């Protein structure tokens, strides 16, 4: 038989548990009401597109402390980057506006942890498929001392996931058409990209995907022949371009009056020449990291371009940057985007060529000239990844990439300068 005395300990235990629960509830309620929770990452867009920057903050950190933020990607091997920030009085660290105390980059850079990723071997990132084309997850961790206080995973959607491409073998055209992920209402400018012009680098597909992701149909033209069968002389027949632009102008959604040419490195001269030679067909030109004149192939001089089987006049060697060697860029109706790198390992006087081209061009609304004194040659690939970034000039090259692609996007999105259009 249970007595009243035997029930007393149980009653006291239940009362104590009730008090604890009431206390916890009250504390939780106050925390919820005041919004006080532990440190955590705030990311504006997750998942996000590989071709767009992402805004990252960490809130509710203890003011006055140092927080270490680490980014890690497991893609083939482990890639990581780390930056240390001083926590301000409001407990919020904003990677886009706050300069780190210690990092592989200087100044406030919201994407610094992404493009400064490196692996233990020190080998550079050289796979365009991994860095840009493929989707990846960037694991972020914030720690104070030896204690991890916040974690999150950022999913970066690769270009190949969102951009459609298809091989083209029509009407004498050999290449690939890269189409925007969403078909736009109305007509949009389109781009002919001179592909297979970079020595030893695979950048054409990445650039074409980036342009399509921005909303512009892009035909990556196999400039020197189909894949696996390049023309060893690197001579480009103008008839190939005429077939390509004729085909592109008939594609659905393409504004036939606003076709841009795009060439980087060796292809820059081709993009400019095509725009100058056929102003009734080409609206604007984008030509970073190359000459602003046609340079004959060497070591034995041979034509870089033929028209009707005949040589188009070209200059022997890149050293002579005389006015006569520069194309008449003033003939291009729409915007021109040029860029040069001061540490260009393939074209040491690239900025001299740009200056001469700018002079020949004159003043035109919508033009952009990106001069990057400390950048290296491959500053024309899309930003926000470690692809082809040499450590000594990584930051300058990345900064140039951001500036160049902003200029490209502005040129493509600008209203037409053609009368009545």
């Amino acid at each position: 038989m249970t007595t009243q005395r035997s029930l007393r300990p149980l009653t006291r235990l239940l009362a104590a548990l009730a008090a604890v629960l009431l206390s916890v509830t009250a504390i939780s309620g106050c925390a919820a009401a005041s919004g006080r929770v532990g440190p955590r990452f705030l990311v504006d867009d997750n998942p996000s597109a590989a071709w767009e920057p992402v805004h990252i903050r960490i809130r509710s950190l203890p003011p006055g402390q140092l927080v270490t933020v680490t980014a890690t990607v497991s893609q083939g091997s482990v890639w990581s980057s780390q930056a240390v920030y001083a926590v301000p009085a409001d407990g919020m660290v904003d990677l886009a506006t706050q300069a780190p105390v210690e990092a592989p980059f200087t100044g406030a850079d919201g994407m610094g942890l992404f493009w400064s990723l490196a692996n233990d071997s020190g080998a550079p990132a050289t796979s365009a498929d991994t860095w840009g084309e493929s989707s990846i997850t960037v694991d972020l961790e914030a720690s104070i001392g030896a204690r991890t206080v916040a974690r999150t995973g950022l999913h970066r959607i690769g270009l190949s996931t969102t951009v459609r491409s298809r091989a083209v073998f029509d009407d004498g055209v050999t290449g690939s058409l890269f189409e925007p992920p969403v078909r736009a209402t109305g007509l949009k400018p389109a781009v002919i990209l001179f592909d297979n012009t970079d020595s030893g680098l695979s950048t054409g597909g990445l650039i074409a995907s980036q342009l399509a992701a921005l909303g512009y149909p892009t035909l990556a033209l196999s400039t020197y022949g189909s894949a696996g069968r390049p023309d060893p002389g690197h001579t480009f027949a103008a008839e190939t371009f005429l077939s390509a632009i004729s085909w592109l102008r008939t594609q659905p959604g393409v504004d036939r009056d606003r076709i841009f040419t795009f060439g980087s490195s060796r292809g820059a001269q081709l993009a400019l020449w095509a725009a100058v030679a056929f102003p009734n067909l080409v609206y604007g030109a984008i030509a970073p990291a190359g000459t602003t004149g046609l340079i004959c192939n060497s070591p034995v001089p041979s034509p870089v371009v033929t028209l009707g089987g005949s040589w188009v006049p070209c200059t022997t060697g890149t050293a002579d940057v005389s006015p006569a060697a520069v194309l008449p860029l003033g003939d291009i109706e729409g915007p021109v985007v040029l860029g040069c790198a001061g540490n260009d390992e393939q074209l040491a006087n690239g900025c001299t060529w740009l200056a001469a081209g700018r002079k020949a061009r004159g003043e035109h609304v919508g033009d952009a000239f990106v001069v990057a004194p400390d950048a290296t040659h491959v500053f024309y690939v899309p930003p926000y990844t470690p692809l082809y970034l040499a450590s000594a000039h990584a930051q300058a090259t990345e900064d140039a990439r951001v500036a160049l692609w902003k200029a490209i996007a502005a040129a493509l999105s600008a209203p037409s300068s053609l009368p009545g259009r």
Side-chain angles (χ1 to χ4, degrees):
M1 180 177 180
T2 304
T3 65
Q4 185 175 1
R5 178 176 295 179
S6 65
L7 288 173
R8 286 174 182 169
L10 178 61
T11 302
R12 286 195 295 269
L13 177 61
L14 292 174
L17 288 173
V20 170
L21 289 173
L22 182 61
S23 174
V24 169
T25 302
I27 293 171
S28 300
C30 290
S34 64
R36 290 198 305 266
V37 294
R40 64 194 184 277
F41 281 94
L42 300 178
V43 182
D44 282 0
D45 296 295
N46 192 18
S48 58
W51 60 92
E52 295 178 346
V54 61
H55 190 190
I56 303 168
R57 291 153 290 163
I58 314 167
R59 68 172 303 174
S60 300
L61 293 165
Q65 298 291 310
L66 293 177
V67 60
T68 300
V69 186
T70 304
T72 305
V73 173
S74 297
Q75 199 84 348
S77 60
V78 177
W79 300 75
S80 64
S81 183
Q82 191 174 87
V84 180
Y85 294 86
V87 181
D90 63 359
M92 175 83 78
V93 168
D94 188 331
L95 273 60
T97 61
Q98 185 173 338
V101 174
E102 181 181 343
F105 52 91
T106 59
D109 188 339
M111 298 302 289
L113 287 170
F114 290 68
W115 61 258
S116 64
L117 287 163
N119 60 19
D120 291 339
S121 70
T126 57
S127 172
D129 177 68
T130 298
W131 304 108
E133 293 286 0
S134 298
S135 297
I136 63 172
T137 296
V138 182
D139 293 313
L140 292 179
E141 180 179 286
S143 58
I144 297 176
R147 183 168 62 95
T148 298
V149 297
R151 287 193 182 96
T152 194
L154 271 64
H155 303 289
R156 302 285 283 169
I157 306 303
L159 289 161
S160 63
T161 303
T162 53
V163 171
R164 298 166 295 173
S165 65
R166 59 184 174 91
V168 177
F169 300 100
D170 296 338
D171 300 325
V173 180
T174 301
S176 296
L177 179 67
F178 292 75
E179 300 175 280
V182 178
R183 187 175 294 279
T185 57
L187 301 179
K188 296 280 285 185
V191 182
I192 290 183
L193 173 71
F194 290 91
D195 198 5
N196 301 335
T197 57
D198 292 306
S199 178
L201 297 177
S202 177
T203 61
L206 184 62
I207 292 172
S209 295
Q210 176 86 350
L211 292 166
L214 293 174
Y216 306 101
T218 300
L219 175 62
L221 182 64
S222 295
T223 308
Y224 298 125
S226 59
R229 298 174 59 86
D231 174 4
H234 285 182
T235 298
F236 178 69
E239 289 76 13
T240 301
F241 172 76
L242 293 173
S243 296
I245 198 167
S246 176
W247 181 87
L248 184 58
R249 295 177 81 198
T250 65
Q251 298 309 298
V254 168
D255 184 346
R256 59 185 288 122
D257 293 319
R258 283 198 291 166
I259 304 294
F260 284 76
T261 53
F262 190 127
S264 56
S265 190
R266 190 185 183 96
Q269 60 179 339
L270 298 180
L272 294 174
W273 174 81
V276 167
F278 306 105
N280 59 321
L281 298 176
V282 179
Y283 175 65
I286 302 164
T291 60
T292 50
L294 281 183
I295 307 302
C296 302
N297 290 319
S298 60
V300 177
S302 60
V304 62
V305 178
T306 59
L307 180 60
S310 300
W311 279 44
V312 172
C314 54
T315 298
T316 302
T318 62
D320 180 18
V321 194
S322 64
V326 178
L327 292 162
L329 302 184
D331 295 347
I332 302 173
E333 183 70 32
V336 167
V337 179
L338 300 179
C340 69
N343 280 292
D344 193 320
E345 59 275 30
Q346 295 191 29
L347 184 65
N349 62 348
C351 289
T352 304
W353 277 104
L354 183 148
R358 185 172 187 173
K359 185 175 181 179
R361 171 69 172 164
E363 295 296 325
H364 284 70
V365 175
D367 286 354
F369 304 94
V370 178
V371 178
D374 296 319
T376 56
H377 180 72
V378 196
F379 72 93
Y380 47 81
V381 302
Y384 312 129
T385 79
L387 185 64
Y388 303 129
L389 287 180
S391 57
H393 303 284
Q395 180 148 24
T397 305
E398 172 65 13
D399 290 346
R401 291 176 179 181
V402 173
L404 177 67
W405 279 93
K406 283 183 179 179
I408 292 169
L412 291 170
S413 63
S416 174
S417 63
L418 296 174
R421 297 185 184 274

